[in-house]
Amino acid sequence: MTLLRLISFQYVRKHKLRWLLTLAGIVLGVAVFVGMHTANQSVLRAFHQTIDRIAGATQLQVSAGEAGFPEEALEIVQNSPDVRIAVPVIEASVNPGRGNLLLLGVDMTGDRSLRDYDLENNNDDAIDDPLVFLAQPDSLLVTRIFANAYGLKIGDKLPMSTMAGPRDFVVRGIMQSGGLASAFGGNLAVMDIYAAQKMLGRGRRFDRIDIAVREGVRVEQAQERLRKLLGGGYLVESPGARGQQFESTAQIYSLVSSITSMFALFVGMFLIYNTFEIAVSQRRSEIGILRALGATRRQIRTLFLGESVVAGLVGSLLGIGFGLLLARGIAAYVGAMLSEVYGVAQNVEDVAAEPWLLAAAITVGTLTSVLAALIPARDASRVDPVKALQKGKLQLIGQGENMRRRIGAIALFALAVGCMSMSHIRPLFYLGYLLAVMSAVLFAPTACNWVTRTLRPFLKWLRPVEGALAADSLIESPRRTSGTVTALMLSLALVIALGGIARSSYKSIQDWLVIALNPDLFVTTNETLTSRSFVFPPEIGEGIATIAGVDLVQMVRTVRINVRNTPVMLVCTDIASVARKAHLPPREGNPDTLYNEVAQGKGVIVSDNFALLRKFKLGDVLELPAPDGTLRMPILGIVTDYSDQQGSILMDRKVYIEHWKDTAVNVFRVYLDKPSFEPAVRARIQEMYGGRTRLFVFTNQDLRAYILKLTDQWFGLTYVQIAVAVLVAILGIVNTLTVSISDRKRELGVLQAVGGLRSQIRGTIWMEALAIGFTGLVLGFVVGAIQLYYTLEISRTDVAGLRLDYQYPVNIALVLVPVILGAAWISALGPAESAVRGSLVEALEYE
Amino acid sequence: MNKWLVALAACTAFAQDPRQIVEEVQKRAQSKSQQYEGTLEVVDAKSKVSTKRWEYSRLGAFGSSKSVLRFTAPAEVKGVALLVHNHPDRSSDQWMWRPAIERDQRIALQDRSTRFFGTDFSYEDLEERDVNQFDFKLLGEETIDGHPCWKLESRPREKKVSQYAYSYLWIRKDHYIYAQIDAFNKAGLARRIKYSDVQDVQNIWTARTIEVFDAAKKSRTTLKFEKLRYNVPMDESAFTLQALRRAS
């Protein structure tokens, strides 16, 4: 501790900027780690809070997927001897033009036995008149938070677009804040369930039944008996078990954010390694004196490791601070996106990290720093006191060490290739990935040397003095340069991989859009296609089909169902007409008979990502939970379909109606006789139904733009990752140059003393920076090609199940060239000026 | 004289059998049908008053009766109706009809303890108390509002699903009609129902005012009977869900 205070602290104080830049790697890595995970946790917590607060005293919930189930199931549950109270619920996220509002449809006659509405004045009369509330379907109970936010009081009207046309809802009660009223951030409204059915177009169906079991009956016992009573098509579970879909989607973000933050930390590790290596080299004489005064090797090693622990701790703490700031923005973004894509209602009220996450962040940040300092600390402890007190450089990597690295790199690469051939065993695949990265890291100094030597003639040709000096400085200081180049290489490799995956996805989605989404018009109940709160009756589709100029109307019902405990999208439509109009060529299955057989109800078609993620293959029999029991359907075909990230199952509408007893429609796909009829048909649809029901008509172009916007949102985080990677790369260059200048103060001073012009000094440093940038770019592009392969594989098998083509993102690579070279040049401006304007006397003091 | 004494003794013995007292109440109230217009006044703990009107029709009596209660005022609630089918051996079936959304809704047994449309009556209170669904115990004699009464305890039999653990009944000795009912749940007194303004209507002594006091909420609901008539000819088909729909 005394050594730390007397020696290390003084050194850090003298090199504040360098240490700050070094810490930036840790700060960034930890910030991304804490920010992303805190945001994910906050979104999940908000979701679970909403579930818990809505659940009230509910012990069990009966559901049957998103389509809900016929009302008759309620009586069966209510008559069960295990059940004390069973109340039906409809839950929907609506937007009355005042932000998202979670609408809870409940049976007010019995629901208060299960949920405390905590009405103001603790009096039922806060519902102005319970009989009027029930008698009038426009009655709404809102929370005090919502009422205050929009200046609503009892008797005020809240207009909403419903399936029965535009309606003015009347506030007939206000719930006190807290408990149920604080669910969904207080943006909650309660209405009568039968009125909600009409408003949402749900027919005589409920979303779920909330249950309290009879006294003396164990919940598990009741759950088991209810499962038997209702059959395989119903889920009977505790309220906490809800939200699997949400969690599985958030898990994807967790995985992606973990990879990004780990990568940032990995890159940061090289920055720290670099700084410590330079520190060891700069402090050789200091180490020599300490050793000469009796300090043991162990004490020297401990001193450097102690410095790394302090650096790791400080970096982690700063990272946590930044991460928590980041989390707020990310939480809002992830929450909004999940709502948009999945229509899952949640509202992030407070963003707070859990203690374990903070502990993990500090541990990971500190460990990264210690790991990075291990080799420099070992080198420091091996310093010979006699040699250390002599002047000279120690930047060259010994020939033997260089050879060992090359052999190690080749061996690791061979092992990585071996693992690649066994990539179906996932741990081996990931081991191969790690080995490939390690191989690239080990090979980086050699490759860096090769590239710089190749570059030297060009630099010399460009600027004889500055070019040669810059190239030689890099060649002769491999320790100083290779760490930065490695960091830059890894960052750029990540950018190439992420850019590549975004490009492949875009192309695949666009190809799919052309075939699958080819109708001229789409008629939906929502501004967003993903929200399924409102549904159409089929009669509207029949009406649209009679409009002059309409060739065909396909009715599509999309609902989430649970398959193997994962929510997947069931897409139900008239398969025969799909085969005629939007024939997706199957990846597997007989293209001649497939659609016919599915149209006859002999099986289903599944999306490629569903098959990949859920490990299904052609011919496997799917067990689909339908309200009338478990429906067993063989997989007759596998197609590329991007309808849903969790995968989709395509079924004929007749089969769906038969087993789900649900004729509702989410989207009408309208084909016209001629594309030119589009404005007239669109106007006619609005004229026929616009005032009567809630309806939106999109053109094909609108829809494509919407889907590409969603895709953009999905890749929004990818762009954040790219930005992080570029930032780390820039930090690396600034760090190296700053170190380089202070390290070469004497050299630069001598150069000026013997007549070197300021412009030449400046030019040398600029060219050095550009050379580092260029070397990093070359190596980054090569390693990026390998990284892209692994990223596509991870995306295909473990994240999204998307079989994307390997397409090197040439455009992104081209953009990176000026960005990185420009950044390198800008990074060099400060250090170059510092070198030029530095005191010559101070620089030559050493001599 | 002896004959009278024997008769009187027999009558007293008969009267003091709690079950027979309640049977006598039922017997005296027996009618083929009943019809009235009711005015309902709810006074909450803060003395806020709300008034509603309804029409009531009952066909049959005790155990196997069917009734329809339909709100007539105010305008916002007009047409909302409750159909009750009583059964001798189990709890009644109840449905609500809501004209604004044109649909009926079954009131589950579990919901019978909830308040009837914001009044102090629960759905269960609207059922007829059939002697065969309870066990009775005579607790003594007391005077209620100046009228000598028998005080009985009634407990629901196993098949009867009730929110109340037990009730105390005060039955007027003069006309064999209820003077007061205190209904208790596990927490204590839940509701107190008082019968007043007793009149002879077509030879049936009837309380024309019923007041319910909710002990937990400290609110009070008063129901007044107007245009009360017994044994009015009625068609059984008027007591079905289809009839409710048609009538709206």
Side-chain angles (χ1 to χ4, degrees), chain B:
Chain B
M1 183 64 184
N2 274 349
K3 267 185 182 178
W4 278 108
L5 277 176
V6 171
L8 189 65
C11 188
T12 308
F14 161 79
Q16 285 179 343
D17 177 345
R19 184 172 179 79
Q20 285 178 339
I21 294 172
V22 181
E23 276 175 350
E24 185 61 17
V25 171
Q26 258 184 231
K27 191 178 144 197
R28 293 191 181 202
Q30 193 90 23
S31 63
K32 285 179 186 164
S33 67
Q34 183 192 26
Q35 200 173 57
Y36 67 80
E37 287 179 18
T39 302
L40 194 69
E41 200 175 76
V42 184
V43 184
D44 70 9
K46 290 187 170 175
S47 305
K48 185 185 158 196
V49 182
S50 65
T51 308
K52 291 178 186 70
R53 289 184 61 81
W54 74 40
E55 288 172 354
Y56 177 83
S57 306
R58 168 175 59 78
L59 180 65
F62 299 104
S64 55
S65 66
K66 293 174 179 177
S67 60
V68 172
L69 182 158
R70 192 184 297 276
F71 285 92
T72 53
E76 301 102 296
V77 302
K78 191 177 175 185
V80 175
L82 184 75
L83 173 66
V84 181
H85 283 190
N86 286 307
H87 304 291
D89 54 345
R90 60 190 161 95
S91 299
S92 63
D93 288 317
Q94 297 186 357
W95 295 268
M96 184 174 24
W97 170 255
R98 293 158 66 188
I101 53 171
E102 293 182 323
R103 66 161 299 167
D104 53 83
Q105 171 191 345
R106 192 172 180 281
I107 308 292
L109 274 177
Q110 61 180 30
D111 301 333
R112 305 285 166 87
S113 59
T114 59
R115 300 173 83 207
F116 175 67
F117 294 131
T119 68
D120 293 296
F121 288 101
S122 69
Y123 286 87
E124 186 184 345
D125 298 329
L126 298 172
E127 293 175 4
E128 285 181 323
R129 299 175 68 90
D130 182 37
V131 67
N132 294 319
Q133 293 181 334
F134 297 86
D135 290 321
F136 300 94
K137 197 159 84 180
L138 181 63
L139 299 177
E141 294 177 9
E142 283 178 11
T143 302
I144 296 287
D145 297 332
H147 303 286
C149 298
W150 287 291
K151 183 181 178 185
L152 276 64
E153 180 193 276
S154 80
R155 286 182 182 269
R157 285 182 177 171
E158 205 177 324
K159 281 186 179 175
K160 165 77 181 168
V161 177
S162 175
Q163 65 186 299
Y164 304 122
Y166 62 95
S167 302
Y168 292 148
L169 319 175
W170 284 266
I171 296 170
R172 274 172 65 164
K173 287 181 169 179
D174 52 358
H175 300 306
Y176 281 87
I177 58 166
Y178 290 111
Q180 182 174 318
I181 298 175
D182 283 0
F184 295 83
N185 55 25
K186 282 180 191 165
L189 179 67
R191 284 186 180 83
R192 169 165 294 156
I193 307 173
K194 292 196 74 143
Y195 299 81
S196 58
D197 190 14
V198 176
Q199 290 178 17
D200 181 354
V201 181
Q202 294 171 257
N203 295 324
I204 297 175
W205 286 94
T206 311
R208 298 190 69 134
T209 300
I210 300 178
E211 188 184 87
V212 185
F213 171 70
D214 186 317
K217 289 172 58 63
K218 313 282 181 225
S219 60
R220 204 174 293 277
T221 297
T222 308
L223 172 62
K224 288 183 190 299
F225 299 96
E226 293 156 32
K227 298 180 185 172
L228 179 63
R229 288 188 300 158
Y230 288 107
N231 301 320
V232 183
M234 286 180 193
D235 188 352
E236 188 148 0
S237 66
F239 298 88
T240 60
L241 281 172
Q242 291 77 6
L244 282 190
R245 289 188 197 117
R246 276 198 306 271
S248 65

Side-chain angles (χ1 to χ4, degrees), chain A residues 173-248:
Chain A
I174 295 179
M175 291 181 277
Q176 266 179 346
S177 303
L180 174 69
S182 58
F184 200 57
N187 293 309
L188 177 90
V190 177
M191 71 184 295
D192 175 67
I193 192 164
Y194 303 102
Q197 284 176 333
K198 285 232 161 192
M199 173 195 174
L200 300 166
R202 300 287 184 88
R204 291 200 160 202
R205 298 177 80 81
F206 300 135
D207 282 351
R208 64 167 200 269
I209 300 170
D210 285 0
I211 294 169
V213 302
R214 202 172 282 283
E215 262 175 58
V217 177
R218 281 192 304 117
V219 176
E220 299 76 25
Q221 208 175 13
Q223 183 176 20
E224 205 43 52
R225 287 189 200 149
L226 282 168
R227 272 184 188 146
K228 280 184 190 151
L229 186 70
L230 292 163
Y234 287 84
L235 270 179
V236 183
E237 54 191 4
S238 64
R242 278 182 74 208
Q244 286 168 356
Q245 161 194 328
F246 204 78
E247 283 187 19
S248 56

Side-chain angles (χ1 to χ4, degrees), chain A residues 828-843:
Chain A
L829 290 177
E833 287 313 303
S834 142
V836 165
R837 299 188 192 285
S839 159
L840 201 61
V841 176
E842 194 188 312

